[in-house]
């Protein structure tokens, strides 16, 4: 009984933290209330916390808070997850949070959408952003495989049920953001914000996954 109560508290806390992360990860919405001078349609969200931007501390702090909340939620969920693909999936989510912290600690030096002399290919930030995307899609793939390999009702796994539909949209929108790196800027801001909404949807699915999980393995 005590173990079940402990699991219930941990799963609830994990679910709440993942929902909070879903909201914080879309901090681009703050640009409707905070004047950044950056065109949302043609700017990366990471430009808001570039080192020469006036609201660097605000957006950087929100990004860091999101990463820490996400890591905490993933760790809580992983503590009671069965070994195997499900545990690996939660580990990938926590790693995603860690890479997001690096992404903030190694920011862009300027905002290429409004500064012509600013290159879009800041190597350090590009690498950390690439790691963020890699761990994101790794987590999606692992939960999808976990649901596929389980012999139980897939409707119990929110992440496993919907991830086959979410991955194509999330990946396509992520790829659509690389225009400036290929010498074709324009519209990357819209594509990235669509991508961020898909990530928020993924965190929400993980929140449901954490809340529905019980003491008995279902993956």
């Amino acid at each position: 009984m005590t173990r079940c109560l402990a699991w219930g508290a941990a799963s609830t806390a994990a679910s709440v933290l993942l929902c909070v992360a879903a909201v914080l990860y879309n901090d681009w919405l703050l640009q409707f209330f905070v004047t950044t001078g950056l065109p949302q349609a043609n700017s990366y969200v990471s430009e808001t916390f570039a080192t020469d931007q006036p609201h660097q501390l605000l957006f950087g702090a929100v990004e860091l808070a999101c990463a820490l909340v996400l890591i905490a939620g993933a760790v809580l969920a992983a503590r009671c997850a069965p070994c195997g693909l499900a545990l690996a999936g939660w580990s990938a989510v926590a790693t995603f949070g860690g890479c997001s912290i690096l992404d903030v600690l190694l920011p862009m030096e300027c905002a290429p959408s409004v500064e012509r002399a600013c290159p879009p290919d800041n190597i350090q930030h590009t690498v950390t952003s690439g790691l963020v995307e890699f761990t994101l899609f790794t987590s999606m793939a692992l939960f999808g495989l976990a649901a596929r390999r389980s012999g139980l009702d897939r409707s119990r796994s929110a992440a496993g049920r919907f991830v086959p539909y979410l991955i194509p949209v999330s990946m396509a929108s992520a790829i659509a953001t690389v225009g400036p790196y290929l010498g074709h800027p324009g519209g990357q801001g819209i594509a990235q914000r669509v991508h961020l909404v898909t990530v928020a949807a993924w965190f929400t699915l993980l929140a449901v996954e954490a809340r529905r999980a019980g003491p008995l393995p279902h993956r």
Side-chain angles (χ1 to χ4, degrees), residues 93-104:
V93 174
T95 305
F96 173 95
C99 291
S100 297
I101 291 176
L102 289 177
D103 205 44
V104 178

Side-chain angles (χ1 to χ4, degrees), residues 44 46 102-103 106-108 119-133 178 181:
Y44 292 118
S46 54
L102 289 177
D103 205 44
L106 298 172
M108 303 176 75
D121 56 347
N122 180 307
I123 299 301
Q124 291 179 326
H125 188 75
T126 299
V127 170
T128 56
S129 296
L131 290 173
V132 167
E133 296 300 320
V178 303
Y181 294 89

Side-chain angles (χ1 to χ4, degrees), residues 4 38 102 114 121 138 166-167 175 187 195 205 217:
C4 291
L38 301 173
L102 289 177
V114 293
D121 56 347
T138 297
L166 187 62
I167 283 183
I175 293 173
H195 176 63
L205 289 173

